[in-house]
Amino acid sequence: MPADYNGTWEMIENNNFDGYMKALDIDFATRKIALHLKQTKEFKQEGDKFITKTLSTFRNYNLDFTVGEEFEECTKGLDNRTVKTLVQWDGDKLVCVQTGEKANRGWKHWIEGDKLHLELTCCDQVCHQIFQKKN
Protein backbone atom coordinates (compact mmCIF):
# COMPACT_ATOMS: atom_id res chain seq x y z
CA MET A 1 0.00 0.00 0.00
CA PRO A 2 1.49 3.39 -1.01
CA ALA A 3 2.09 6.09 1.58
CA ASP A 4 -0.68 8.49 2.61
CA TYR A 5 0.31 11.99 1.52
CA ASN A 6 -2.98 13.66 2.53
CA GLY A 7 -2.67 16.82 4.56
CA THR A 8 -1.04 20.21 4.79
CA TRP A 9 2.74 20.46 5.04
CA GLU A 10 4.77 23.57 5.98
CA MET A 11 8.34 24.11 4.78
CA ILE A 12 11.04 23.92 7.44
CA GLU A 13 14.18 23.45 5.25
CA ASN A 14 15.14 24.51 1.74
CA ASN A 15 18.63 23.48 0.58
CA ASN A 16 20.15 24.58 -2.78
CA PHE A 17 16.92 26.12 -4.09
CA ASP A 18 18.93 28.91 -5.74
CA GLY A 19 21.09 26.42 -7.65
CA TYR A 20 17.99 24.57 -8.81
CA MET A 21 16.32 27.81 -9.98
CA LYS A 22 19.50 28.88 -11.81
CA ALA A 23 19.47 25.54 -13.68
CA LEU A 24 15.91 26.39 -14.78
CA ASP A 25 17.10 29.83 -16.00
CA ILE A 26 14.86 31.70 -13.55
CA ASP A 27 15.79 35.39 -13.41
CA PHE A 28 17.77 36.93 -10.56
CA ALA A 29 14.93 39.02 -9.06
CA THR A 30 12.48 36.10 -8.97
CA ARG A 31 15.12 33.84 -7.40
CA LYS A 32 15.85 36.35 -4.65
CA ILE A 33 12.14 36.66 -3.78
CA ALA A 34 11.58 32.88 -3.92
CA LEU A 35 14.50 32.20 -1.55
CA HIS A 36 12.72 34.09 1.24
CA LEU A 37 9.39 32.30 0.94
CA LYS A 38 8.10 29.58 3.21
CA GLN A 39 5.96 27.32 1.08
CA THR A 40 2.98 25.27 2.16
CA LYS A 41 1.97 22.10 0.32
CA GLU A 42 -1.54 20.69 0.34
CA PHE A 43 -2.12 17.11 -0.78
CA LYS A 44 -5.44 15.44 -1.47
CA GLN A 45 -4.90 11.81 -2.38
CA GLU A 46 -7.43 9.21 -3.44
CA GLY A 47 -5.43 6.09 -4.28
CA ASP A 48 -3.25 7.04 -7.28
CA LYS A 49 -5.08 10.35 -7.96
CA PHE A 50 -3.47 13.47 -6.49
CA ILE A 51 -4.59 17.07 -6.23
CA THR A 52 -1.70 19.20 -5.01
CA LYS A 53 -1.20 22.87 -4.24
CA THR A 54 2.06 24.64 -3.50
CA LEU A 55 1.20 27.92 -1.79
CA SER A 56 3.25 30.99 -0.92
CA THR A 57 2.73 34.74 -0.61
CA PHE A 58 4.40 35.23 -4.02
CA ARG A 59 3.01 32.49 -6.28
CA ASN A 60 0.83 29.42 -6.06
CA TYR A 61 1.11 26.30 -8.20
CA ASN A 62 -1.49 23.58 -8.64
CA LEU A 63 -0.68 20.15 -10.00
CA ASP A 64 -3.20 17.35 -10.43
CA PHE A 65 -2.01 13.96 -11.64
CA THR A 66 -2.68 10.26 -11.63
CA VAL A 67 0.27 7.98 -10.90
CA GLY A 68 1.32 6.07 -14.02
CA GLU A 69 -0.42 8.40 -16.52
CA GLU A 70 1.84 10.72 -18.56
CA PHE A 71 0.49 14.22 -19.19
CA GLU A 72 1.55 17.58 -20.58
CA GLU A 73 2.38 20.05 -17.83
CA CYS A 74 2.71 23.79 -18.31
CA THR A 75 4.92 25.13 -15.52
CA LYS A 76 3.30 28.59 -15.66
CA GLY A 77 4.42 30.69 -12.73
CA LEU A 78 7.55 28.59 -12.24
CA ASP A 79 9.81 28.51 -15.31
CA ASN A 80 7.00 28.75 -17.89
CA ARG A 81 7.91 25.66 -19.90
CA THR A 82 5.85 22.79 -21.23
CA VAL A 83 7.10 19.35 -20.24
CA LYS A 84 5.89 15.77 -20.50
CA THR A 85 5.37 14.62 -16.92
CA LEU A 86 5.13 11.08 -15.58
CA VAL A 87 4.78 10.31 -11.87
CA GLN A 88 5.26 6.73 -10.67
CA TRP A 89 5.52 4.88 -7.37
CA ASP A 90 8.91 3.60 -6.24
CA GLY A 91 7.87 1.84 -3.05
CA ASP A 92 6.37 4.65 -0.96
CA LYS A 93 8.14 7.38 -2.95
CA LEU A 94 6.48 9.43 -5.67
CA VAL A 95 9.02 9.80 -8.48
CA CYS A 96 8.41 12.30 -11.29
CA VAL A 97 10.29 12.54 -14.58
CA GLN A 98 9.75 15.68 -16.66
CA THR A 99 10.89 15.49 -20.28
CA GLY A 100 11.56 18.73 -22.13
CA GLU A 101 14.37 21.12 -22.95
CA LYS A 102 16.15 20.71 -19.57
CA ALA A 103 18.06 17.51 -18.81
CA ASN A 104 17.57 15.40 -15.68
CA ARG A 105 14.44 17.29 -14.64
CA GLY A 106 12.01 15.93 -12.09
CA TRP A 107 11.27 15.44 -8.43
CA LYS A 108 10.77 12.85 -5.68
CA HIS A 109 8.45 13.02 -2.67
CA TRP A 110 8.65 10.74 0.35
CA ILE A 111 7.51 10.74 3.95
CA GLU A 112 9.63 9.99 7.01
CA GLY A 113 7.70 10.22 10.28
CA ASP A 114 5.79 13.50 10.24
CA LYS A 115 8.06 15.06 7.59
CA LEU A 116 7.53 15.28 3.84
CA HIS A 117 10.71 15.37 1.75
CA LEU A 118 10.93 16.85 -1.73
CA GLU A 119 14.00 16.43 -3.92
CA LEU A 120 13.97 18.65 -7.02
CA THR A 121 16.45 17.99 -9.83
CA CYS A 122 17.40 19.85 -12.99
CA CYS A 123 20.60 19.35 -14.97
CA ASP A 124 23.31 18.83 -12.32
CA GLN A 125 21.47 20.64 -9.51
CA VAL A 126 19.59 19.00 -6.63
CA CYS A 127 17.41 20.89 -4.15
CA HIS A 128 16.15 19.16 -0.99
CA GLN A 129 13.15 20.62 0.82
CA ILE A 130 11.62 19.32 4.04
CA PHE A 131 8.08 20.00 5.20
CA GLN A 132 6.49 19.40 8.62
CA LYS A 133 2.94 18.04 8.76
CA LYS A 134 0.55 20.68 10.06
CA ASN A 135 -1.98 19.47 12.64
Side-chain angles (χ1 to χ4, degrees):
M1 177 80 177
D4 179 4
Y5 285 79
N6 282 300
T8 301
W9 307 82
E10 295 179 335
M11 181 183 284
I12 57 173
E13 285 186 43
N14 193 4
N15 301 302
N16 195 35
F17 193 42
D18 192 51
Y20 171 75
M21 290 187 293
K22 283 179 184 176
L24 288 171
D25 301 320
I26 294 174
D27 68 88
F28 176 81
T30 302
R31 288 195 332 265
K32 292 307 162 201
I33 292 169
L35 286 173
H36 295 288
L37 299 176
K38 292 292 183 190
Q39 299 174 8
T40 299
K41 290 194 167 283
E42 294 179 358
F43 277 82
K44 291 184 182 173
Q45 175 187 0
E46 292 181 12
D48 285 342
K49 174 95 173 116
F50 285 79
I51 299 169
T52 69
K53 296 178 182 178
T54 302
L55 309 169
S56 74
T57 55
F58 183 57
R59 289 193 179 141
N60 298 327
Y61 189 72
N62 299 333
L63 180 64
D64 302 346
F65 61 89
T66 300
V67 175
E69 294 181 12
E70 186 177 60
F71 63 98
E72 189 171 276
E73 179 183 0
C74 178
T75 60
K76 184 172 172 46
L78 301 174
D79 65 327
N80 299 312
R81 290 190 170 91
T82 299
V83 295
K84 290 285 188 186
T85 299
L86 177 62
V87 181
Q88 298 189 76
W89 288 111
D90 180 6
D92 283 347
K93 287 185 181 181
L94 287 171
V95 178
C96 172
V97 174
Q98 296 171 316
T99 307
E101 64 185 81
K102 291 290 185 175
N104 191 36
R105 183 173 180 167
W107 50 261
K108 293 178 187 173
H109 270 299
W110 68 95
I111 297 172
E112 290 179 6
D114 63 350
K115 296 198 173 43
L116 172 73
H117 293 259
L118 172 59
E119 182 180 275
L120 300 159
T121 58
C122 182
C123 302
D124 64 346
Q125 295 296 309
V126 178
C127 169
H128 185 204
Q129 299 175 339
I130 302 174
F131 297 79
Q132 178 81 44
K133 187 143 192 187
K134 185 177 176 182
N135 295 330

